[in-house]
Every structure is written in C-alpha cells, then in structure tokens.
Amino acid sequence: KKGDIMMKYDGSCPFIAMGTLYRDISPKYICGINSLGEFEKSSGGEGWTTKFYIPASEKAKKELFNKMAEAGYRWNADTLELEKIESQFKEGDVVVDKDGNLCLVSKVENTITIVAMAILYTDGDLKIYNNSGAYRLSKEITLASIEDRNKLFFVIAKEGYIYDKEQHKFIKQEFKPFDRVLVKDDFN
C-alpha cells in the first residue's frame, strides 16, 4: 500500500511504494535508492523492480532516509508525501560547521551541503576561494553569531579583501605607496 517501505529480497534498493503496480508486475515507487546507491525520485509512472520484494529492514530504512535527506527531501508519514526541505541558509550567510570553523556561504546545494567562499579555521588559518568554492559537507551547520560573523569579516579585511554583498565576491584591496587611507587612532 502507499507509503510502505520495501526493498528487494536480497536486502538492496529500498524504496517507498506508491501503492499501485506498473503493468501488473512491478510496484510503482515514490522514491528509493537505486542499484548504483543513488537516491532516485519517481516521475510518477514507472515501476521499481520486477524481482520479488519484501518489507525493508531497519538498516535499509535508515539508509533510505539518510540518502533522502542528503538529496534535500524528507518523508511525511502523516500525509504520505515526499517533501522538499528548504535550506535555512542562503548566499552571504556566515555559518559555523561542526568543527567550529567559520564559513562564508556562496551557494547552498541542498539542506546539508554548502559551498563556502571563505573559511576561517579554528587555528586562525583563512582560506579564500574566489571562484571555485570549497564544498563543506556537514549535517551540523549552524548560523554564526554576530561576533563570529564580525570576526570572519575582520580577518578577511586584514588579509586585504572586501566582500561585495551585491556581487557575492571578494575584491582585493590594492594600496600604492602614498595612498590616503583612513586609520583608527587607539591612543588616548
């Protein structure tokens, strides 16, 4: 029936059944993990397997839900619907990863994968990626505090860069001898 989590008899390829059959031989599916180990979402009309299938083991269910989350989806058991998870982060946000590193988000690929254009590691090392970005995979990403955000931008400025929020890129500050610059006087 719709929403049953099944797998092939050999324990592979878990899927969520649509509750109907394709050509009376293959269960239609909502989503599943294909034979290549990738998450696959149904377009609505195809069948999953012509092989014998059984209820999924707890291990297979966990694998399916993990792959589903990595792809940016979750299963709503109440409505029996696959839901798209919207990321809480956006381009330009500063986030903290599970190791305490500060990352400037340049792109959100799904709910747990971000591309960072600058990373301030906990040891104080700053890495700036102007074009390519660095993929940071983590399920434990949180929005940085204002203090941490300011800390990252201070170190970026100290390295001679300014972050352009409109264009979402770094601009290298080049000073020539005798350029006029504004400085803060620390003396009393």
Side-chain angles (χ1 to χ4, degrees):
K1 67 181 186 204
K2 184 174 184 176
D4 283 350
I5 302 172
M6 310 298 286
M7 66 183 182
K8 287 185 181 178
Y9 68 92
D10 64 1
S12 68
C13 303
F15 66 98
I16 299 177
M18 195 174 279
T20 57
L21 294 176
Y22 174 75
R23 297 188 180 173
D24 295 327
I25 56 169
S26 178
K28 289 183 180 179
Y29 69 101
I30 295 169
C31 65
I33 299 175
N34 64 26
S35 59
L36 300 174
E38 300 167 340
F39 178 76
E40 188 176 309
K41 186 176 167 238
S42 171
S43 59
E46 59 276 338
W48 186 253
T49 182
T50 57
K51 306 242 190 287
F52 184 70
Y53 55 94
I54 60 175
S57 66
E58 290 304 314
K59 180 181 174 185
K61 288 178 187 179
K62 184 176 180 181
E63 179 187 11
L64 175 60
F65 290 130
N66 286 341
K67 293 272 187 180
M68 193 183 298
E70 287 173 13
Y73 292 94
R74 74 172 150 243
W75 178 247
N76 185 328
D78 295 329
T79 63
L80 300 178
E81 298 291 328
L82 188 64
E83 299 175 339
K84 180 77 174 151
I85 303 170
E86 296 301 321
S87 177
Q88 62 185 356
F89 308 115
K90 63 187 180 313
E91 188 175 27
D93 282 347
V94 175
V95 296
V96 181
D97 71 8
K98 66 179 178 157
D99 298 322
N101 303 313
L102 300 174
C103 307
L104 179 61
V105 177
S106 67
K107 185 167 107 179
V108 178
E109 298 209 328
N110 58 45
T111 58
I112 61 171
T113 305
I114 66 166
V115 178
M117 58 189 318
I119 303 169
L120 178 60
Y121 294 95
T122 54
D123 66 2
D125 187 29
L126 176 70
K127 191 80 170 163
I128 293 179
Y129 303 91
N130 274 322
N131 296 324
S132 61
Y135 289 91
R136 301 290 296 166
L137 300 172
S138 177
K139 295 179 182 177
E140 301 167 19
I141 299 171
T142 58
L143 199 58
S145 67
I146 292 172
E147 294 82 20
D148 283 339
R149 181 179 171 80
N150 290 342
K151 178 180 177 181
L152 174 64
F153 285 115
F154 174 78
V155 173
I156 289 170
K158 191 174 165 186
E159 292 293 319
Y161 290 92
I162 291 180
Y163 175 64
D164 183 331
K165 291 179 185 177
E166 278 74 44
Q167 296 181 17
H168 297 291
K169 69 177 189 176
F170 290 108
I171 299 169
K172 179 73 172 161
Q173 297 300 296
E174 305 276 339
F175 296 106
K176 295 180 234 73
F178 305 107
D179 274 354
R180 292 179 184 224
V181 294
L182 182 63
V183 294
K184 184 176 179 180
D185 185 357
D186 285 308
F187 303 110
N188 293 330

